């Protein structure tokens, strides 16, 4: 009954959509409008909005035509203008008067002009227009910035999972292993708010600003909506079900599944000085997990297990989300605004498998997050603005495994048995305090401030209390045969059994990480053709030896043309900066809970002699554990932070040429050079000396440097990476109704293990080669087209090369418990049928247990498949009731609100092309509106495959067992279609 009800809802939406589109042809006129319009947003130099600003439109002779007052979101909208030349002026107390250059409006044209007012007593001439892409020497107006706000956000998905994928695509290629960072109302981290609560998304602005800790080509800033002075709201329903989707290449028949999402928002005023905005959302996802593996099958004629054929299956994956997000803005005075925002996020699911996990590995989990944000923005005087922000975030999560049987790993094939994660509970607290001052002095725009963060995580974990057994794929079959014949696992051939691990002892631990920063930056407008920017950032944190990190940043923007009164058409930008990555609280918690004196012990044994077992689901590990109280022994695995740990950082140099090709198009070419030093790699700090460990020996004669300890997993800050990137951004208004923007990115990077684990703990350079975190080529394009009858089409195209992946032996060759040792090239004559050492592959004949002197295969030698997706969103709005003269809500008379100070450079180097935001031509606004939307993800149904298996000798070697995920697929389908209906007033 539940499924039938959802089916009825989905098909009702589809029927309404179809009927509405059909009847719209009769209701609409083909005649083009004869008037034009101006609209945009008013902000201060920090990016904070200025509600109540006075906007006046003058004709070319300077005569008053009309005027408006910016609304509660800083928006203005002037319609009904006759074609011709106009001048836009803006005034607001405490800011210098603004006057634009002459703006030419054509019949039917809707021109967007965003205005950034100046604090200094000087006239601003910054004009950011969505239909006239421009270049500028302003530090915050690099042409590869993208700002998406207002109706432009309609082009993005309302499903938070899909929205996250789209933002990642907008981000572009990352620099280094850590990628970019998302800021929500100026704060780091937290849950993505519903799209209905988002006011603006900024990408790639001022990438070398000293205000931010992370790489400038790697930031997204999301700003939430404030309230309005009039009551406004919307409700929507969105759905997707398996009948609308295509199948899965790994499973012939996928059981029915569906997704349904409800959302409602309401905004208005409580009194003349207080406004509110609230968003409530629930999503019920009833997905299917897909798993692929090669089972062991009992041959009844011989009573022996043999490897069967690759098979697959599904597991129901119900997933429920709730997001409640209210916000209040209070005008405390003429120049002081207080903003209070709260968000409650709830998430629960069961299943949650990856493609090589069997259903017995499933877990059920729940998480809750409470976020409280407080921001006070104050104009001190005509030259100074101060904003103080505070955030407290509380997270509570729990995980329970479906099975408590021992975990069984068939290396390169599957993970079965119970979940090694065990039962876990976590309570995390995040506090963040910022105080930022923006001021001006002559031609200088100065910003300085402080940034303090505290992260606490208290966790209770029974991870690996059930024990884990790791076999080669053939070793798993041999283990079943040994137990089937009444033999012990110690009878397995050498190399079949990799190791066993089991944990015991203390279960609860707490970690607390504090970090702080001070910064100062100055943007000096030397003249109309040159801007110089310089800044310095100082950072510190606890739990590491390094407490004194200095990060200088410098940049320039120079107009190569545009002398006299002519506007510049070519701008050269260059910059250099050092960017630090802070040591995460999760790493500190691992070192605390698994340290040598933690009271917890994790035993790792490469011999199964201590085990008693009659089957792999009935294994007794008691003979493997030492007597309590537990302490580190030669068989334990411990975790530590390197005593000399230095915070990882990246030197990044960038230069770009921005060119305005025509009045309606720009192109930017950017070169980035990134050099990461002190990057984190995990190594065995107590490893056997190279060549001393014998993987075939039952008893090791080799000893570790500290014979009283076993493996010591150390966070070791001595890896490096070197990366070169070329990004070409483009932004083109092909017609008043057709806008395209996007980028092509080329990236090449080499590393000796940054972000991974070392195969040779004594020589990281043995792993130097292609970095796994880059894709060589990436292309993204997004557009907006207004078709006849006011139908909006939003194409979204993304394609990229596959990531490199590593080819590894099916054995631990060094005794460090990392199954990442690479094979060596061997003569083709050695690769005979049935060999368990030499394997014929697409890379040639490979030796799984290379000897000294053999040439190892290069690191990350494999290439994942390339991926391509074309998404299309089609929408149509229908007005109901009386017309509204101004499409935007009226505004309350105060300054600012959340999110000023430009917290949002861009996600991904290069960002996207063109400082202008996207544009829409809309039908006349009415009091009530119904918008119907259909969105196809991966419209052409291309099966994009995930990373192939890289374990030599496994049945998945060189083969993908999953779809690519991300923007290319989700769950069980390659192509998905969402239907949506929105009612707003």
């Amino acid at each position: 009954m539940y499924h039938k009800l959802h089916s009825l809802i989905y098909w009702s939406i589809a029927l309404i959509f179809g009927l509405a589109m059909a009847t719209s042809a009769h209701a609409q006129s083909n005649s083009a409008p004869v008037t034009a319009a101006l609209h945009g947003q008013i902000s201060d130099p920090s990016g904070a909005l200025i509600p109540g600003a006075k906007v006046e439109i003058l004709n070319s002779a300077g005569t008053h035509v009309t005027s408006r007052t910016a609304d509660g979101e800083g928006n203005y909208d002037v319609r009904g203008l006759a074609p011709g030349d106009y001048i836009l002026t803006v005034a607001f107390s405490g800011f210098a008067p603004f006057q634009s250059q002459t703006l030419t409006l054509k019949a039917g044209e809707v021109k967007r002009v965003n205005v950034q007012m100046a604090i200094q007593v000087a006239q601003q001439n910054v004009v950011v227009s969505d239909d006239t892409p421009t270049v500028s020497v302003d530090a915050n107006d690099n042409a590869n910035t993208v700002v998406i706000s207002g109706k432009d956000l309609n082009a993005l998905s309302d499903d938070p999972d899909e929205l996250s994928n789209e933002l990642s695509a907008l981000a572009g290629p990352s620099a280094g292993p850590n990628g970019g960072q998302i800021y929500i109302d100026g704060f780091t981290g937290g849950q993505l708010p519903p799209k209905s609560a988002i006011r603006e998304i900024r990408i790639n602005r001022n990438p070398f600003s000293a205000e931010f800790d992370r790489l400038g080509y790697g930031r997204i800033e999301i700003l939430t909506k404030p309230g309005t002075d009039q009551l406004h709201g919307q409700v929507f329903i969105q759905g997707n079900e398996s009948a609308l989707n295509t199948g899965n290449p790994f499973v012939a028949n996928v059981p029915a599944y569906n997704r349904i999402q409800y959302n409602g928002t309401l905004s208005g005023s409580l009194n003349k000085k207080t406004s509110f905005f609230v968003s409530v959302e629930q999503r019920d996802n009833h997905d299917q997990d897909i798993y692929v593996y090669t089972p062991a099958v009992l041959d009844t004629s011989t009573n022996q297990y043999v490897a069967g054929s690759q098979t697959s299956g599904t597991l129901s994956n119900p997933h429920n989300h709730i997001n409640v997000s209210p916000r209040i803005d209070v005008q405390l005075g003429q120049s002081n605004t207080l903003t209070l925002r709260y968000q409650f996020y709830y998430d629960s699911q069961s299943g949650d498998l990856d493609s090589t996990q069997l259903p017995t590995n499933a877990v059920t989990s729940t998480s809750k997050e409470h976020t409280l944000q407080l921001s006070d923005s104050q104009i001190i005087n005509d030259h100074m603005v101060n904003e103080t922000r505070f955030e407290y975030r509380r997270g509570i999560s729990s995980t329970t495994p479906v099975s408590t049987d021992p975990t069984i790993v068939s290396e390169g094939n599957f993970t079965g048995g119970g979940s090694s994660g065990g039962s876990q509970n976590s309570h995390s607290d995040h506090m963040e305090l910022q105080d930022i001052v923006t001021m001006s002095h002559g031609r200088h725009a100065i910003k300085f401030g402080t940034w303090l963060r505290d992260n606490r995580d208290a966790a209770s974990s029974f991870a690996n209390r059930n024990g884990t057994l790791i076999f080669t794929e053939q070793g798993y079959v041999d283990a079943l045969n040994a137990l089937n014949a009444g033999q012990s696992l110690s009878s397995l051939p050498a190399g079949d059994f990799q190791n066993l691990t089991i944990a015991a002892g203390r279960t609860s631990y707490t970690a607390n990480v504090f970090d702080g920063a001070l910064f100062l930056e100055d943007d000096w407008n030397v003249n109309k053709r040159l801007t110089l920017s310089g800044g310095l950032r100082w950072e510190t944190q606890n739990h590491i030896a390094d407490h004194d990190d200095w990060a200088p940043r410098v940049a320039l923007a120079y107009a190569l043309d545009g002398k006299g009164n002519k506007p510049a058409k070519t701008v050269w930008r260059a910059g250099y900066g050092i960017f630090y990555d802070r040591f995460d609280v999760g790493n500190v918690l691992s070192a605390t809970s698994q340290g040598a004196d933690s009271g917890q012990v994790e035993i790792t044994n490469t011999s199964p002699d201590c085990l008693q077992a009659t089957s792999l689901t009935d294994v007794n590990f008691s003979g493997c554990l030492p007597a309590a109280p537990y302490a580190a022994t030669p068989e334990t695995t411990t975790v530590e932070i390197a005593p000399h740990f230095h915070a990882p950082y990246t030197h990044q140099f960038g230069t770009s040429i921005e060119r305005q090709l025509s009045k309606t198009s720009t192109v930017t070419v950017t070169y980035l050079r990134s050099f990461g030093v002190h990057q984190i790699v995990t190594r065995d700090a107590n490893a056997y000396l190279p060549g001393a460990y014998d993987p075939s020996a039952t008893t090791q004669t080799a000893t570790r440097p500290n014979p009283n300890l076993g493996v010591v997993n150390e966070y070791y800050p001595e890896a490096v990476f070197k990366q070169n990137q070329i990004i070409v951004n483009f932004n083109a208004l092909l017609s008043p109704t057709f806008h395209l923007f996007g980028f092509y990115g080329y990236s090449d990077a080499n590393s000796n293990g940054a972000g991974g684990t070392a195969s040779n703990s004594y020589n990281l350079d043995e792993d130097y080669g292609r970095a796994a975190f880059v894709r060589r080529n990436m292309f993204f394009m997004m557009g907006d087209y207004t078709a006849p009858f006011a139908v909006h089409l939003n194409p979204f195209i993304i394609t990229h090369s596959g990531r490199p992946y590593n080819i590894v032996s099916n054995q631990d060759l060094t005794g460090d418990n990392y199954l990442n040792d690479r094979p060596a090239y061997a003569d083709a004559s050695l690769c005979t049928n049935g060999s368990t050492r030499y394997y014929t592959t697409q890379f040639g004949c490979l030796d799984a247990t290379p000897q000294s002197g053999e040439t190892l295969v290069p690191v990350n030698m494999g290439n994942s498949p390339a991926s391509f997706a074309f998404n299309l969103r089609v929408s149509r709005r229908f007005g109901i009731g009386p017309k509204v003269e101004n499409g935007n809500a009226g505004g309350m008379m105060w300054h600012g609100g959340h999110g000023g100070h430009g917290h949002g450079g861009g996600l991904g180097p290069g960002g996207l092309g063109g400082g202008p935001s996207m544009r829409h031509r809309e039908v006349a606004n009415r009091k009530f509106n119904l918008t119907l939307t259909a969105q196809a993800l991966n419209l052409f149904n291309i099966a994009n495959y995930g990373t192939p298996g890289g374990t030599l000798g496994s049945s998945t070697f060189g083969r993908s067992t999953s779809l690519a995920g991300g923007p290319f697929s989700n769950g069980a389908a390659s192509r998905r279609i969402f239907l949506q209906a929105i009612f707003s007033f």
Side-chain angles (χ1 to χ4, degrees):
M1 177 63 70
Y2 183 77
H3 177 65
K4 291 181 179 179
L5 177 62
H6 280 77
S7 298
L8 178 62
I9 293 173
Y10 298 139
W11 290 113
S12 296
I13 295 174
L15 179 61
I16 294 172
F17 184 88
L19 291 175
M21 293 294 291
T23 57
S24 68
H26 178 73
Q28 295 296 317
S29 169
N30 289 325
S31 59
V34 296
T35 60
L38 276 173
H39 68 113
Q41 201 167 57
I42 314 298
S43 63
D44 70 9
S46 71
L49 302 180
I50 308 180
K54 302 298 183 182
V55 179
E56 185 177 12
I57 307 298
L58 309 177
N59 61 22
S60 57
T63 304
H64 172 84
V65 175
T66 187
S67 61
R68 295 286 189 276
T69 298
D71 67 15
E73 298 181 30
N75 295 309
Y76 71 93
D77 194 353
V78 183
R79 300 181 180 272
L81 295 172
D85 295 334
Y86 294 93
I87 298 172
L88 173 72
T89 69
V90 184
F92 189 76
S93 176
F95 292 89
F98 168 91
Q99 180 172 312
S100 73
Q101 302 170 353
T102 300
L103 306 171
T104 301
L105 297 180
K106 300 177 183 178
E109 187 173 16
V110 180
K111 186 183 290 289
R112 181 184 183 90
V113 180
N114 292 337
V115 176
Q116 188 177 83
M117 301 190 72
I119 302 174
Q120 66 265 32
V121 185
Q123 182 174 322
Q124 272 286 56
N125 60 359
V126 177
V127 177
V128 182
S129 169
D130 56 1
D131 55 353
T132 54
T134 59
V135 295
S136 166
V137 297
D138 189 275
N140 290 317
D141 287 338
N142 45 304
N144 51 11
T145 299
V146 167
V147 179
I148 302 177
S149 62
K151 297 180 180 67
D152 307 339
L153 288 166
N154 294 339
L156 301 176
S157 177
D158 286 276
D159 184 282
D161 295 333
E162 304 301 336
L163 177 61
S164 179
N165 291 333
E166 291 168 351
L167 291 179
S168 295
L170 282 164
S174 64
N178 297 318
Q181 190 167 19
I182 293 180
Y183 296 79
I184 300 173
D185 283 332
F187 298 99
T188 54
Q191 295 294 332
L192 193 70
K195 197 188 80 173
S196 61
I198 295 176
R199 169 172 61 85
E200 183 173 292
I201 299 173
R202 301 173 184 175
I203 298 174
N204 192 37
R205 190 176 71 163
N206 197 0
F208 292 101
S209 169
E211 182 179 354
F212 303 98
D213 52 348
R214 298 289 290 274
L215 290 166
Y217 294 100
R219 292 191 302 257
I220 290 180
E221 179 192 10
I222 295 175
L223 306 179
T224 61
K225 289 180 179 178
T228 54
D229 65 341
Q230 299 178 13
L231 192 64
H232 293 274
Q234 75 168 33
V235 292
F236 81 68
I237 181 174
Q238 175 172 279
N240 164 260
E241 71 163 18
S242 52
L244 300 174
N245 301 339
T246 56
N248 187 285
F250 298 101
V251 180
N253 298 299
V254 179
Y257 59 92
N258 61 74
R259 290 188 174 193
I260 191 163
Q261 178 180 355
Y262 310 92
N263 179 278
T265 64
L266 188 67
S267 66
S269 61
L270 300 176
N271 53 49
K272 291 184 179 181
K273 294 185 178 182
T274 306
S275 71
F276 72 90
F277 178 92
V278 62
S279 170
V280 179
E281 179 172 283
Q282 177 169 344
R283 289 185 294 146
D284 290 312
N285 298 344
H286 298 269
D287 295 327
Q288 292 288 337
D289 287 334
I290 308 296
Y291 58 91
V292 180
Y293 73 109
T294 301
V297 179
L298 182 64
D299 184 343
T300 56
S301 64
T302 62
N303 200 34
Q304 290 285 310
Y305 283 95
V306 295
S309 301
Q310 188 177 84
T311 187
S312 60
T314 65
L315 178 69
S316 178
N317 177 215
H319 202 165
N320 178 260
H321 312 256
I322 298 174
N323 197 320
V324 180
S325 181
R327 167 176 165 159
I328 294 177
D329 294 86
V330 183
Q331 180 185 357
L332 299 179
Q334 181 64 28
S335 59
N336 192 356
T337 302
L338 179 69
T339 298
L340 176 67
R341 177 176 176 262
Y342 168 77
Q343 179 171 267
F344 170 75
Y345 180 83
Y346 172 83
D347 181 286
S348 68
Q349 71 170 319
S350 63
D352 193 24
L353 302 178
D354 67 27
S355 65
T356 60
Q357 288 180 293
L358 302 189
T360 54
N361 244 222
V363 299
T364 60
S365 63
T366 62
S367 64
K368 299 176 183 178
E369 185 176 272
H370 302 268
T371 302
L372 180 66
Q373 296 176 342
L374 186 67
S375 175
D376 181 73
S377 179
Q378 185 172 7
I379 301 176
I380 306 301
N381 54 44
D382 290 353
H383 300 275
M384 184 179 295
V385 175
N386 180 78
E387 185 167 13
T388 303
R389 307 184 188 127
F390 174 77
E391 178 187 62
Y392 173 70
R393 191 166 68 239
R394 171 73 162 171
I396 303 171
S397 64
S398 65
T399 302
T400 303
V402 170
S403 170
T404 58
D405 287 342
T407 302
I408 310 299
V409 179
S410 174
E411 189 64 28
N413 184 12
F414 68 83
T415 300
S419 170
S420 62
S423 297
Q424 299 191 44
N425 293 280
S426 175
H427 299 262
S428 63
D429 297 279
H430 169 90
M431 289 185 286
E432 189 166 338
L433 177 65
Q434 304 172 29
D435 190 80
I436 300 174
V437 176
T438 303
M439 60 182 297
S440 65
H441 180 72
R443 294 180 176 270
H444 296 264
I446 301 169
K447 185 181 291 187
F448 59 89
T450 185
W451 200 327
L452 306 175
R453 287 180 297 205
D454 187 83
N455 289 281
R456 178 182 180 273
D457 195 349
S460 173
S461 173
F462 289 84
N464 208 24
R465 302 300 162 122
N466 56 332
T468 299
L469 300 174
I470 303 179
F471 303 89
T472 65
E473 184 172 332
Q474 181 59 46
Y476 170 70
V477 176
D478 291 343
L480 291 179
N481 283 321
L483 295 173
N484 186 48
Q487 301 170 348
S488 69
L489 294 178
S490 60
S491 65
L492 293 179
D496 274 5
F497 184 78
Q498 295 300 298
N499 61 53
L500 67 88
T501 62
I502 185 169
R506 187 178 169 187
T507 60
S508 299
Y509 296 89
T510 301
N512 197 94
V513 171
F514 171 83
D515 68 279
L518 300 171
F519 76 91
L520 169 66
E521 66 178 21
D522 179 11
D523 295 325
W524 176 24
N525 185 14
V526 180
N527 54 50
K528 64 180 297 183
R529 298 182 59 193
L530 176 63
T531 297
L532 298 177
S533 301
L536 184 62
R537 185 178 180 90
W538 175 79
E539 300 180 10
T540 188
Q541 78 165 96
N542 61 352
H543 291 296
I544 61 175
D546 168 37
H547 302 297
D548 192 23
D549 299 323
W550 295 88
R553 318 273 172 86
V554 293
L556 66 86
Y558 179 67
L560 301 179
D561 52 16
K563 296 181 179 180
N565 293 324
K566 294 183 178 181
K569 292 187 176 182
T570 307
V571 171
W572 170 53
R573 291 181 184 270
Y576 165 80
I578 293 178
F579 300 85
Y580 284 87
D581 292 306
R582 304 322 316 171
F583 195 60
D584 186 74
V585 65
N587 293 340
V588 175
L589 187 64
S590 294
T592 301
S593 61
Q594 295 178 255
D597 56 353
S598 65
Q600 178 182 160
V601 63
E602 181 171 87
I603 295 297
T604 300
N605 197 331
T606 58
S607 172
D609 291 346
C610 60
L611 291 172
Q612 295 178 358
T614 57
S615 72
L616 291 182
T617 57
D618 183 21
V619 179
N620 188 335
F621 288 86
S622 61
C624 303
L625 286 168
Y630 300 110
T633 70
E635 290 185 338
T636 59
T637 296
T638 58
V639 177
E640 71 174 20
I641 302 170
H644 62 287
F645 192 96
H646 192 290
Y649 63 91
T650 300
H651 299 268
Q652 187 170 78
F653 166 77
T655 184
S656 63
I657 293 291
E658 304 172 353
R659 174 66 180 177
Q660 186 166 350
L661 300 178
S662 67
K663 291 183 179 180
T664 60
S665 63
T666 61
V667 64
T668 303
V669 179
T670 303
Y671 168 73
L672 294 173
R673 170 68 172 178
S674 303
F675 178 36
V677 296
H678 290 295
Q679 300 294 301
I680 300 177
V681 63
T682 303
R683 68 157 191 164
D684 180 3
N686 196 35
Y688 295 107
L689 292 176
Y693 179 79
D694 183 359
S696 63
T698 303
T699 303
Q700 290 296 325
T701 58
T703 59
R704 297 181 180 275
N706 184 346
N708 297 318
L709 293 176
V711 173
V712 178
N713 289 332
E714 182 181 68
Y715 296 115
Y716 187 60
E718 297 303 331
V720 300
F721 75 85
K722 299 176 182 178
Q723 185 170 2
N724 294 288
Q725 295 170 274
I726 298 175
I727 304 104
V728 180
N729 304 96
F730 60 89
N731 180 68
L733 185 69
L734 302 179
S735 74
T737 61
F738 190 22
H739 177 213
L740 286 176
F741 69 92
F743 70 86
Y744 163 77
Y746 170 86
S747 184
D748 177 76
N750 290 305
S751 175
N752 59 355
T757 55
S759 67
N760 184 339
S761 297
Y762 292 102
N763 182 11
L764 298 185
D765 288 341
E766 189 172 286
D767 291 334
Y768 190 81
R770 294 201 304 168
F773 55 78
V774 299
R775 303 182 188 275
R776 183 63 57 90
N777 300 283
M778 184 175 184
F779 175 79
F780 170 84
M781 183 171 69
M782 192 171 182
D784 174 54
Y785 175 63
T786 304
F789 312 118
V791 175
H792 283 298
L793 304 177
N794 296 109
F796 184 104
I797 299 174
I798 177 172
T799 181
H800 56 57
S801 307
R803 291 188 188 274
Y805 69 93
N806 211 13
I807 307 301
V808 299
S809 173
N810 56 7
Q811 298 182 47
D812 176 9
L813 304 179
T814 59
D816 56 11
N817 295 337
Y818 308 147
L819 296 174
N820 63 349
D821 299 299
R822 299 192 304 282
Y825 291 109
D827 189 271
S829 62
L830 298 174
C831 284
T832 59
N833 290 335
S835 172
T836 58
R837 174 176 175 179
Y838 299 99
Y839 297 89
T840 301
T841 73
Q842 62 266 48
F843 307 103
C845 181
L846 301 182
D847 181 359
T849 55
Q851 304 302 304
S852 176
E854 293 188 55
T855 302
L856 301 181
V857 302
V859 68
N860 295 318
M861 181 170 61
N863 287 304
S864 303
S867 301
F868 174 87
F870 179 91
N871 300 346
L872 182 63
R873 185 179 177 96
V874 182
S875 61
R876 173 67 164 86
R877 190 181 71 183
F878 300 89
I880 305 170
K883 292 183 178 180
V884 179
E885 179 181 352
N886 188 336
N888 295 312
M892 302 186 69
M893 298 290 290
W894 66 65
H895 164 79
H898 242 320
H901 302 298
H903 268 287
L907 239 180
L912 290 183
S917 60
M918 296 175 57
R919 67 188 300 273
H920 286 269
R921 290 184 62 193
E922 298 289 344
V923 296
N925 241 356
R926 294 184 181 270
K927 187 173 183 179
F928 305 101
N929 294 278
L930 175 66
T931 302
L932 301 178
T933 300
Q935 184 180 30
L937 305 178
N938 193 8
L939 178 64
F940 299 138
N941 192 31
I942 296 174
N944 296 292
Y945 290 97
T947 303
T951 301
L952 201 62
S954 70
S955 57
T956 61
F957 182 82
R959 300 167 57 187
S960 299
T961 59
S962 66
L963 295 175
F968 304 103
S969 68
N970 191 307
S974 291
R975 180 177 65 213
R976 294 146 291 154
I977 296 178
F978 288 82
L979 301 176
Q980 181 189 83
I982 302 177
F983 177 78
S984 59
F985 61 91

